[in-house]
Each structure stands twice: as structure tokens, then as C-alpha cells.
Amino acid sequence: MEVFLIRLLQFMLAISILVLLHEGGHFFFAKLFGVRVEKFYLFFDPWFHLFEFKPKHSDTTYGVGWLPLGGYCKISGMIDESFDTEQMKKPAQPWEFRSKPAWQRLLIMVGGVLVNFLLALFIYAMVLFTWGDSYYALGDMKMGMKFNDTAKEIGFRDGDILLRTDEKAFDRFNVDMYRTIANAQTVTVKRQGKEVTITMPEDMSLLTMVKEQPVFTQPFIPADVDSVLAGSPAAKAGMQKGDKLLAIGGKPIDSWNEFDDQMGRLQDVLAAAKTPADSLRARTTTVVFAHDGGKARPDTVQMTLNPDLTLGVGRTYLGTYYKPVTLEYGFLESFPAGAVYGVDVLRGYVDDMKYVFTADGAKSLGGFGAIGSLFPPTWDWMMFWRMTAFLSIILAFMNILPIPALDGGHVLFLLYEMITRRKPSENFLIKAEYVGFGILILLMVVANMNDILRWLGYM
């Protein structure tokens, strides 16, 4: 419950910041061009609101709604999600949106997207200035990578060190590494001191690479025990810090990668258990380990794992074997670096959009639950701001899509007006708004239904 609340608070704070500034972008340009803003709300307020006030001599009512699905900026004389058709039947007023030149209306509509994109670049810049950029270089991973069966069928081997593709050299282990492999024609690795070039299939999919269990590739991390929890199954079996796991459940393992794979199989057995006796049998397994980093004679013990299938040991991790590369930035240096980082994130996100139109891509869509789960389980300001910047880029990109009811739909019709010198009829714009709103509701239902199905274990 504590983890859920921490993630929920981070999600709500991030969304509140992004929605306020997005709507603030529309608000700024509307006020700049003398357009009246009737309401400025954080969250939606169907039927009632949590808070509302209207300053003296102001045309704008400010408030907080109860439905945390976004927010809105109600601009006079504009067809939007409020569907205020009565106002549109009255004669146009000079302070209304519809009375302004097309170029001014265009800037009002792109204001939110522009603010979100610039905000993301600013956040990335400040993150780099405050914390720098730390990562583990793939070239430094002398133990190489661990590959799944799909990768091995292509030609990769456990222990291969990733060097480069036909287009670029590998830098660090992150999602961009998977994306680079998926888009490559060839991948060059170092294997036993020699360079080997592997020809990639044409139908490689980033989505498949990261959804497979185990995933396409991960850094090879030996199954060395970093610590042992007192009173745990591992402690009762005599396991100590510095020991090496050699097998579990009768399956030899050489890394934490293979350990996770085997534990996943045991998890499936445990999930199928129907009685407490079945659960106990699923949790009881043989474990082979050796003291002194695996140099001593192996011990084989029968162990009853914890209910969550843990042994009670602390693992070694990348930092145990490799030193991270840390890049530090001065205040002025951080801005171009943040811009480059943000543009790379946007480019990767746009490139991944092609998977949305596949069956697996539709299943991978996530709603508020999926987004919230991206935040760390403990409050980490660096990760919070990175996630906020990422969501800001997503919000900017999704809003500029040419779908009626989104900013991009309004922009599309305004560009049509500027090019043809003909303004779409208000009746057409109202119908388009209904269609776009219906599409958005459908997407939201599908995405959040996927979250529920994943939570129930059906996906």
C-alpha cells in the first residue's frame, strides 16, 4: 500500500504540473491577443467542483475539479470539449477566439504543446545540471551480455560484448540500445577477443524484444550473493555473503539472469497451486551453491522459499563489477545537452508509435495504472523529474496529433483555413469535435481496460 501511495502522489503531482502549464500555454497566448478566457481549471468538473474563485475585474474563473483526467481552458468563441453551441449562435464579439486572425488562433492552439515541449527540455537540462548523467557503458561490460533464445537463433551468444551496428556504435544499456538493435541490418560484437558481425532479420520488433521473458538481452550479472538476510531460508541453509548460486530446482544457472528465468517458472507453478499443500510443494526446491565465490565444494540443500519465492539474499548488480560513467554539466552547458536529450527521447517515442497499429501494440497500450507504475516505488526526485519530462513530451506529441478534440485537430483546421482562405463551418467543427471526443474516450477505455486485464493476469 505504501508503494502504491508513493507512486500515486508522484503521478498526481506530475500530471498537475503538466496540465497547469499546458493550459497555461493556451491561456498566455489568448490573453496576449485579447481573447477572453472564461474558465481555467485543473482537472474536470462535471456536476460540481472542489474549489473555484473569480478575482475582481477578471473575466476568468479559476478552479479545481474532482475528476483528475486533465484540465481545460475555456476560451470564448471557440468550439471545444465544452460543446457550448449556444454561445456560437450569438454574433461574434471582438474579444472572442473566432474573431481573431487565423495566425493568432493558431498560436493560441499550439501554446499548450509548445509549453510542454519546452518544459521537457528545461527539466532535462536541470536534471543534467543537478545530477549529471550516469550510465554503464556497454563497452566496459567485459563479461558481456546474456541473450534469450530468440537472440541466439539470430546468432548472438552469451558473453558477447555489443560494439556497434551498421549505423552507430553502442553507448549505454537502455531502451535506445534495444531500438538500435531492432532497426539495424547488422550488429557487430566482440566474442572471445574477436569481432563478429551478425546479420539481423528484417522483421525485428522492439516491442517483441522487450516483451519476451526473458528479454532479448541484458547485461550478464553472475549469481553472486551480496548479503544474506538473518532468519531467511538462505541463512538457514548456511548461505553466506560471497557465495555463488550454481543451480536451483535442478536447473544449472550461471547468472542472476538465469535465476530470474527459473524463478519465473516456479512462479507459474505456484500460481497454479490449488491447496496450501500444493503451494508448499511449489515453494520447496533444491538449491546448489558454493562458498568462496564458487571455488569451494558445492552444497546441495532443500529449501522452502518465502511465500513470494525469495531466498532472502541480496544480489550483486552492475555497480558491483563496473564503474559508471558520469558526465557533469555546468549551468549553461546543461541547456544544449538537455535539448539534445529531449529531442532524442521524442524521436524514439515517435519511432515506437508504429507498433501501436499492430495487435501486440494495441495490447501494450496502458492507461493511468501503467503510467503510474513507471514512477519509482520510493520518492526519488531525479527519477520524478525525468518521468515528468518524459510525460511532458508524450503530452505534447499526443496533443499535436491531427485528431479533432485535440489541439492538433484545431491546428489542422486552422492550417486548412490559412491555405484555402476558407473557414470550415461551425456545424462541421462541432460534428468533428464529437467524433474526436468519441475516439479519445475509446482509446482511454481500451488503455485502462488493458491495465485491468494485466492486473487480473489475463494479459
Side-chain angles (χ1 to χ4, degrees):
M1 179 58 73
E2 181 182 357
V3 169
F4 171 78
L5 290 176
I6 290 174
R7 281 180 165 154
L8 177 64
L9 287 172
Q10 291 180 87
F11 174 71
M12 294 298 295
L13 178 58
I15 289 298
S16 298
I17 292 171
L18 298 182
V19 168
L20 279 173
L21 292 177
H22 177 91
E23 300 303 333
H26 296 307
F27 183 91
F28 171 78
F29 282 105
K31 289 296 187 180
L32 181 65
F33 298 129
V35 177
R36 183 175 295 175
V37 178
E38 298 176 11
K39 297 180 76 174
F40 186 91
Y41 256 72
L42 171 65
F43 305 150
F44 295 123
D45 61 330
W47 304 297
F48 67 95
H49 53 262
L50 300 179
F51 171 75
E52 184 179 88
F53 79 99
K54 186 176 182 180
K56 283 186 177 181
H57 312 299
S58 174
D59 299 316
T60 306
T61 299
Y62 302 87
V64 178
W66 62 271
L67 188 60
L69 300 181
Y72 66 96
C73 182
K74 177 67 175 70
I75 298 175
S76 296
M78 175 183 167
I79 298 172
D80 58 14
E81 62 271 13
S82 67
F83 299 107
D84 188 359
T85 56
E86 293 301 317
Q87 184 185 67
M88 304 304 293
K89 293 177 182 178
K90 299 176 183 178
Q93 301 298 319
W95 36 262
E96 288 186 333
F97 177 83
R98 55 180 165 165
S99 300
K100 300 300 179 180
W103 69 270
Q104 292 186 4
R105 285 181 278 139
L106 180 65
L107 285 175
I108 292 172
M109 292 317 306
V110 301
V113 169
L114 180 63
V115 166
N116 278 134
F117 183 65
L118 293 178
L119 172 66
L121 301 188
F122 176 76
I123 292 176
Y124 281 132
M126 292 300 96
V127 167
L128 293 176
F129 170 66
T130 305
W131 290 284
D133 184 15
S134 294
Y135 63 93
Y136 294 99
L138 284 169
D140 292 342
M141 297 181 186
K142 303 306 180 185
M143 290 183 290
M145 309 292 286
K146 190 76 175 179
F147 296 89
N148 68 6
D149 291 339
T150 300
K152 290 175 180 177
E153 289 175 3
I154 295 171
F156 293 96
R157 297 292 178 266
D158 288 341
D160 285 352
I161 300 173
L162 296 172
L163 297 179
R164 59 186 176 275
T165 69
D166 50 293
E167 293 186 351
K168 60 185 294 188
F170 288 109
D171 179 17
R172 63 188 74 188
F173 176 75
N174 58 13
V175 70
D176 283 336
M177 180 204 71
Y178 292 105
R179 189 178 292 115
T180 300
I181 294 174
N183 295 332
Q185 294 182 1
T186 62
V187 175
T188 300
V189 301
K190 181 180 287 187
R191 182 181 300 165
Q192 297 178 349
K194 298 180 180 179
E195 291 192 4
V196 177
T197 298
I198 301 167
T199 301
M200 301 298 296
E202 295 181 358
D203 59 346
M204 282 298 298
S205 165
L206 170 65
L207 193 61
T208 302
M209 291 173 65
V210 298
K211 284 188 67 176
E212 286 184 335
Q213 291 298 326
V215 297
F216 190 86
T217 184
Q218 287 183 312
F220 181 96
I221 303 178
D224 297 330
V225 176
D226 185 65
S227 61
V228 178
L229 185 64
S232 66
K236 293 175 182 177
M239 205 173 293
Q240 303 172 6
K241 175 182 173 63
D243 290 353
K244 180 183 288 290
L245 290 174
L246 301 177
I248 184 165
K251 179 178 174 59
I253 60 173
D254 63 0
S255 61
W256 287 116
N257 313 73
E258 286 191 347
F259 174 86
D260 287 336
D261 185 30
Q262 181 63 7
M263 295 308 290
R265 300 174 193 274
L266 292 179
Q267 185 66 57
D268 292 338
V269 176
L270 181 62
K274 296 181 179 180
T275 66
D278 291 338
S279 298
L280 183 61
R281 279 193 294 270
R283 289 166 47 205
T284 302
T285 186
T286 56
V287 177
V288 181
F289 64 95
H291 297 307
D292 194 20
K295 297 177 182 178
R297 183 177 178 179
D299 289 328
T300 302
V301 298
Q302 189 174 61
M303 188 182 298
T304 300
L305 307 179
N306 291 322
D308 58 355
L309 289 184
T310 57
L311 283 74
V313 298
R315 304 181 177 203
T316 53
Y317 67 108
L318 278 177
T320 307
Y321 308 99
Y322 309 113
K323 288 185 178 181
V325 176
T326 301
L327 304 178
E328 296 183 353
Y329 297 89
F331 183 73
L332 296 180
E333 292 176 315
S334 67
F335 287 96
V340 170
Y341 193 99
V343 170
D344 284 344
V345 170
L346 176 61
R347 185 183 294 114
Y349 184 75
V350 172
D351 184 62
D352 295 344
M353 284 297 293
K354 61 189 176 187
Y355 298 114
V356 173
F357 304 102
T358 65
D360 286 339
K363 293 179 181 178
S364 70
L365 287 174
F368 298 110
I371 296 173
S373 67
L374 295 176
F375 286 93
T378 58
W379 199 285
D380 183 325
W381 280 112
M382 183 183 73
M383 292 302 299
F384 168 80
W385 287 117
R386 280 186 179 273
M387 271 305 306
T388 302
F390 179 61
L391 293 179
S392 193
I393 283 181
I394 292 177
L395 186 60
F397 177 76
M398 296 301 293
N399 264 282
I400 205 60
L401 292 176
I403 299 174
L406 292 178
D407 296 342
H410 294 284
V411 169
L412 178 66
F413 297 138
L414 282 167
L415 291 176
Y416 168 83
E417 178 185 343
M418 294 172 72
I419 294 171
T420 64
R421 305 292 181 181
R422 291 188 299 175
K423 190 175 182 179
S425 69
E426 291 180 357
N427 185 50
F428 170 80
L429 292 176
I430 290 172
K431 290 181 178 178
E433 194 77 11
Y434 275 113
V435 171
F437 198 72
I439 292 173
L440 295 181
I441 293 296
L442 178 61
L443 288 173
M444 188 176 297
V445 169
V446 170
N448 285 284
M449 183 60 69
N450 284 349
D451 284 351
I452 295 172
L453 292 175
R454 276 189 286 267
W455 181 66
L456 293 175
Y458 290 107
M459 290 183 64

